[in-house]
Every structure is written in structure tokens, then in C-alpha cells.
Amino acid sequence: MKVLVVLTGELCFDGITNSVLNYYRAMDRSGMEIGIVSARGTNEEMKKNFEDIGCTVYPLENRDSCPAKYFVQLIGIIKRGKYDILHAHGNSATLAIETTAAYLAGCKVRIIHSRNSFCEHTKADKLLRPLMYATYTDGFSCGEKAGKWLFGNRPFTVMNNGKEIDRFLFKPEVRKSYREKLGVSADTILLGHVGLFHRQKNHPFLIDVFEEVCRHSGQYKLVLIGEGEDRGKIEEMVRQKNLTDKVIFLGRQSDVENWIQALDIMVFPSLFEGMPNVVLEWQLAGLPALISDVITKECGIMDTVSYLPLENGPAYWADQILHTPLNDRENTKEDIQKRFIEAGFDIKENAKVLKNKYIELLEKSK
């Protein structure tokens, strides 16, 4: 069984790429060959992570700047590799590029995996929907909301963004070590955010919220993990608000599971999401999370997640933060582990489900 996985974003340390990597790391890959296509650039460290588990990584022409070359190259990879299954991840009908290439190359199973509940290329999405619907064979999604967005009333299968549960559970020794790296005192309360510096993540609102928090208390600092096109704008915003000594920009980190151990409260005012991986990880680490109420309720496994309306404004969010109690993370680990397994977010089981689904769809196609 040969599976070609297409990531329509960059192959990097973002939520989607990490989710895909987690699945194939946990999967019994016997009898399988897995190819990975990066459509918008490749981080060499992440590429090595895939290669270390036996995947072949194909960096293609950029899908945005050279769509025709990308399309032709993709057809060639599928033909030469004789791939049985295409599994393409994205959030709009531009996935018709991948499904059409696979159709022309003779690939029988063409899976679209919806990863968000919104897209920014609305005109292209509307134009390409008929072609996408005509050329894909099966629909997956990270959650119900993301599935409804891309497939409407058509059938789709939810594939949970499973986690290596033990990797994220609270570790007091890691917390101590990473707080020392940050150079913060024991009584400092660290607010955190993990995500690309991109309009979707709503960083300007987050900085406004943090400014309000600082007006009422000097006990808090904000830690921002991630990179992206808007980082410079946010750094300038922080300077203008005289918060430079209160906001820590950590950039992209390959060991996010360790850094979040050092944090105390997570804040996530996104404008839209599919099934945000990071919110799952924060809950596993025992962290309270204040997130926007546009985000699917499916990601609230624990009662430590609070859904807040963005329209209530930064002052309201700040007040909620100031009244959020810190969790007893050590004594809740067993309950967290149990509830995540019961909710179906154990990556070992999720990987078995995915492989069985591949086998089922391939048999059906014959």
C-alpha cells in the first residue's frame, strides 16, 4: 500500500504538520510506503523527522507562485511512485489541484482532509468546489465544524488529532528547568500562546488583552511561541505599548511540550480554527485555556477550557484572566489521561483507525 500525503502549507513545526507526523510515527507502517509532499517550502529539521520514520519527502515547486509546475510535478510523482492513495490536507476547494492531479495520474483513492472551518481564498474556493467534488473520493476532517465547512451535507469521517498523551502530561522537573531558562521568579504568572503570527491567530487582540492585565497587576508576563509573517508588527505593537520587558518572544520551538510546562494560563483569541492541536496539548499539560467562542466545542475535553466572546473586548478577557485560578496540575494528571483516552484522542489508537481506513478504502476502490 503506497500513500502520498500532501501538505498544502509549509512542512514545518505547525499544528497540521505535527499532527500528520504524530500519526505516522505511531502507526504500524509494515506493508506501507509513505510519501510526503510539501507545497509551500520545507523546514529541514521537520523533513528529517519524516525521513527518520521511513517517509520519502518531495519538496515541489511552490504551489502559490508556480501552480502549473507544481501540478505537473505532482502528477509525475504519483505516476512514477504508483501511489494507491492520495491524502491531501487543506482548508479550501483549491485541494482540487491535488485531487485532479491524482485522478489524471490514475490514483484510485483520493482523500481530502479538511483542516479548518474557514479559508482566505474565497473566490478560488467557490470557483473550484465543483471540480473538487467531482475528483475526490473520500472526505476526512479534524472535527465536525471543519467537515461541514468543506463537505456540507456530503459524508466525511472525523479523524481526531490524537496525541502522545504521556509526552504532554505535567512534569514538575521540566517546569522548574524551563522557568529557569526564562529567568522568571516563582511568583510570576506566565500567560502563553502558541501559534503562527498570522491574522487567524488574532495577536493584536491578545496584546490589547495583555495590556489590560498589566494595568491591574504586575505579576504577569506573556510568552509567545511561534513565527510568521506578522511577528514584526506584533513586536512593534509591544514596543509602542511599553510592554517589551513583559512579553517574551520565543520564536519557533521544536520542544513545545516542554515550554508549555513552564506556563500557567493559555490565551487563544483566534478568529477561526478547525480543531486546534495546541488547545488539546494545553489541556493534557493541565493548563487552563481561555479561547474564543468561535472555536469548536469538540476541543474542550476538560473543564479547564473557557470559551469567551471576542466582541466582549480586551477588558473583559483581561478580567477573566485575572480571575482564573491556577490548576493543581500534579494531582489531575491521571484524570486527564483517562478522559483523553475515553474521548478518543490517544494517537496509538487513532493511527490504527487511519491505517484500517486506508485498507478499507483501497479494497473498496478495487
Side-chain angles (χ1 to χ4, degrees):
M1 177 168 59
K2 304 186 74 172
V3 181
L4 184 67
V5 180
V6 178
L7 297 163
T8 53
E10 183 186 0
L11 191 76
C12 63
F13 287 91
D14 65 2
I16 294 172
T17 308
N18 273 310
S19 175
V20 171
L21 177 62
N22 289 340
Y23 258 97
Y24 297 117
R25 265 183 178 159
M27 187 178 288
D28 171 11
R29 299 181 300 279
S30 58
M32 296 181 69
E33 290 183 34
I34 301 167
I36 306 290
V37 165
S38 164
R40 289 181 181 157
T42 303
N43 174 278
E44 288 302 314
E45 187 178 350
M46 181 55 82
K47 178 185 176 185
K48 187 175 185 305
N49 286 337
F50 279 101
E51 290 174 340
D52 284 347
I53 61 171
C55 299
T56 302
V57 179
Y58 303 96
L60 270 64
E61 290 286 343
N62 188 289
R63 185 178 187 260
D64 293 335
S65 58
C66 303
K69 284 185 178 179
Y70 168 83
F71 182 73
V72 171
Q73 288 177 342
L74 186 58
I75 292 173
I77 287 169
I78 297 169
K79 276 187 174 180
R80 287 191 300 273
K82 297 180 181 178
Y83 282 98
D84 306 298
I85 297 171
L86 171 84
H87 187 167
H89 300 256
N91 66 341
S92 76
T94 61
L95 284 162
I97 296 170
E98 284 71 29
T99 54
T100 303
Y103 173 79
L104 294 174
C107 181
K108 298 296 185 184
V109 178
R110 302 178 293 277
I111 301 166
I112 289 175
H113 197 139
S114 179
R115 286 294 190 166
N116 217 321
S117 57
F118 181 85
C119 79
E120 295 187 324
H121 307 292
T122 52
K123 289 182 180 178
D125 175 69
K126 186 176 181 180
L127 181 67
L128 290 171
R129 288 251 171 175
L131 180 59
M132 182 189 77
Y133 291 144
T135 53
Y136 88 104
T137 60
D138 301 276
F140 290 176
S141 76
C142 60
E144 288 291 336
K145 193 172 184 180
K148 290 290 185 184
W149 153 250
L150 201 54
F151 303 112
N153 294 324
R154 295 169 177 81
F156 60 89
T157 301
V158 173
M159 291 288 173
N160 287 337
N161 289 348
K163 296 293 171 186
E164 298 172 67
I165 291 174
D166 292 343
R167 183 175 156 204
F168 292 94
L169 291 175
F170 181 61
K171 301 173 183 66
E173 69 283 358
V174 176
R175 174 178 171 82
K176 181 175 183 294
S177 170
Y178 276 71
R179 284 180 74 91
E180 286 174 357
K181 288 184 181 184
L182 292 169
V184 297
S185 61
D187 63 345
T188 299
I189 299 174
L190 292 180
L191 303 180
H193 180 278
V194 181
L196 291 171
F197 285 84
H198 180 273
R199 186 182 77 85
Q200 172 185 354
K201 304 300 181 183
N202 206 11
H203 282 88
F205 184 88
L206 175 59
I207 301 304
D208 286 342
V209 170
F210 184 61
E211 182 182 32
E212 290 289 336
V213 169
C214 292
R215 283 184 181 149
H216 296 279
S217 173
Q219 196 177 0
Y220 293 78
K221 286 192 174 184
L222 175 63
V223 177
L224 301 176
I225 301 175
E227 288 290 353
E229 58 196 27
D230 291 342
R231 175 170 170 170
K233 296 176 187 176
I234 301 306
E235 288 176 332
E236 179 59 28
M237 187 178 181
V238 167
R239 282 192 290 271
Q240 289 179 359
K241 291 180 180 291
N242 296 313
L243 295 171
T244 304
D245 61 338
K246 294 280 190 178
V247 181
I248 301 169
F249 291 85
L250 283 181
R252 181 179 285 159
Q253 298 294 327
S254 59
D255 59 341
V256 172
E257 69 274 16
N258 292 329
W259 284 106
I260 63 175
Q261 301 291 331
L263 308 180
D264 298 295
I265 300 170
M266 307 305 293
V267 189
F268 202 60
S270 290
L271 298 173
F272 52 90
E273 292 285 344
M275 170 63 81
N277 281 299
V278 290
V279 177
L280 299 172
E281 294 166 4
W282 300 339
Q283 292 171 83
L284 281 169
L287 287 160
L290 285 70
I291 71 177
S292 57
D293 66 356
V294 301
I295 298 172
T296 177
K297 302 300 185 287
E298 295 167 271
C299 72
I301 310 301
M302 308 301 296
D303 56 11
T304 52
V305 177
S306 300
Y307 292 86
L308 308 181
L310 290 170
E311 56 267 28
N312 283 17
Y316 172 81
W317 278 63
D319 183 66
Q320 296 299 306
I321 290 168
L322 292 163
H323 289 91
T324 295
L326 304 186
N327 291 343
D328 180 357
R329 294 161 73 180
E330 180 62 46
N331 291 321
T332 54
K333 286 197 297 187
E334 286 187 14
D335 181 52
I336 291 170
Q337 184 175 34
K338 179 183 176 185
R339 287 176 62 176
F340 262 78
I341 290 172
E342 289 175 349
F345 285 91
D346 180 357
I347 191 62
K348 295 174 186 174
E349 293 303 315
N350 300 148
K352 290 177 186 175
V353 170
L354 178 57
K355 184 173 182 180
N356 288 336
K357 192 69 177 175
Y358 283 156
I359 293 168
E360 173 195 326
L361 294 177
L362 194 54
E363 286 300 315
K364 189 174 76 172
S365 73
K366 295 175 180 177

